Amino acid sequence: MYDSCVGLGYHCESTYQIRRFTGVGRAHFFDWLDLDFESVVEAVAEDFRNVLRPGLAEPFDEGRCALDRGSDIRFYHEFHPAAGAGAPLTQQDIDDQFPKVRAKFAALAARWRSLARSPARVLYVHHDAWDELTAADLRRLRAVIAAQHPGHRFALHWVRRTTPPDAAALGPGITWATAAAAPGRWQGDDAAWDAALAPVLGTPRRVSAPPPALRTPA
């Protein structure tokens, strides 16, 4: 039914599981990012212009990541401490690496637009890891994507930990599933994700996706 499956966060678990299930490692804009739902909505609505504007990225979480204050996206894997693994990121690290990281995400934004302009049918998967969203939130996200990309053929798949109480209010073009947490395993529960994705994507490829520290987005 779908030609491409694109993750919309919330964090590394969904990227790992989508790549493992589909066997496709081609990078998309939100892969491996730590971000809240509103950051996804705003990034799409602004055509990614609000992401990584100069002068707005700074160390965050005791130097474990860079926070882009313009988009509230947390970059845990794109910036690296010059002092070596385990050392905290500094502002100088971020400033020195910023042009390369910004160029990477500009290319991924262009890839997003190209896919949205193509005749491909795309399934966007949003992982609601804390069961925070409502059916109205998913309808709003779908409306934002449709408004930004008229004619784009796509659907949304909402993956939660538990059954949404307002599933009946989702409307057309939005499906849901559950994938329980796997304590101590950031990748999540493979079997639970298989069950969540199979109804919309068919038989899984069951390949091994690389952890974010080793990924090499194509």
Side-chain angles (χ1 to χ4, degrees):
M1 181 180 295
Y2 298 101
D3 303 298
S4 186
C5 180
V6 176
L8 303 178
Y10 161 71
H11 48 42
C12 298
E13 178 180 343
S14 55
T15 302
Y16 175 91
Q17 290 294 344
I18 290 169
R19 292 190 179 194
R20 182 192 64 82
F21 189 97
T22 63
V24 177
R26 194 170 195 239
H28 295 287
F29 193 92
F30 297 106
D31 287 358
W32 307 119
L33 298 181
D34 186 59
L35 75 170
D36 298 320
F37 178 78
E38 290 302 326
S39 293
V40 176
V41 174
E42 291 171 12
V44 174
E46 294 292 327
D47 193 29
F48 305 102
R49 290 184 298 269
N50 65 325
V51 182
L52 291 174
R53 288 178 290 169
L56 296 179
E58 61 187 26
F60 187 70
D61 191 15
E62 299 182 338
R64 295 185 181 91
C65 72
L67 169 66
D68 175 32
R69 289 188 286 110
S71 64
D72 287 330
I73 295 175
R74 298 167 290 276
F75 294 85
Y76 275 91
H77 308 297
E78 285 68 31
F79 295 90
H80 307 284
L89 273 174
T90 67
Q91 187 65 55
Q92 190 64 54
D93 293 331
I94 293 170
D95 293 344
D96 289 346
Q97 298 167 40
F98 186 84
K100 183 177 180 179
V101 174
R102 189 171 190 237
K104 168 188 170 179
F105 281 91
L108 290 175
R111 179 173 291 178
W112 172 287
R113 296 184 199 103
S114 178
L115 184 61
R117 288 194 301 265
S118 77
R121 281 186 52 86
V122 179
L123 179 69
Y124 294 105
V125 177
H126 183 72
H127 184 206
D128 184 6
W130 307 106
D131 288 357
E132 297 173 312
L133 305 181
T134 66
D137 291 321
L138 273 294
R139 293 198 307 270
R140 178 161 59 96
L141 175 58
R142 193 179 195 287
V144 165
I145 296 174
Q148 189 66 35
H149 304 290
H152 183 25
R153 301 194 301 170
F154 73 95
L156 292 180
H157 193 47
W158 180 23
V159 180
R160 293 167 45 96
R161 298 304 189 191
T162 61
T163 300
D166 53 355
L170 282 172
I174 307 174
T175 53
W176 66 270
T178 62
R185 189 172 191 269
W186 65 263
Q187 298 94 332
D189 185 302
D190 291 354
W193 275 91
D194 282 353
L197 295 176
V200 287
L201 292 177
T203 304
R205 294 279 188 92
R206 298 185 189 279
V207 300
S208 180
L214 300 179
R215 87 269 181 270
T216 52

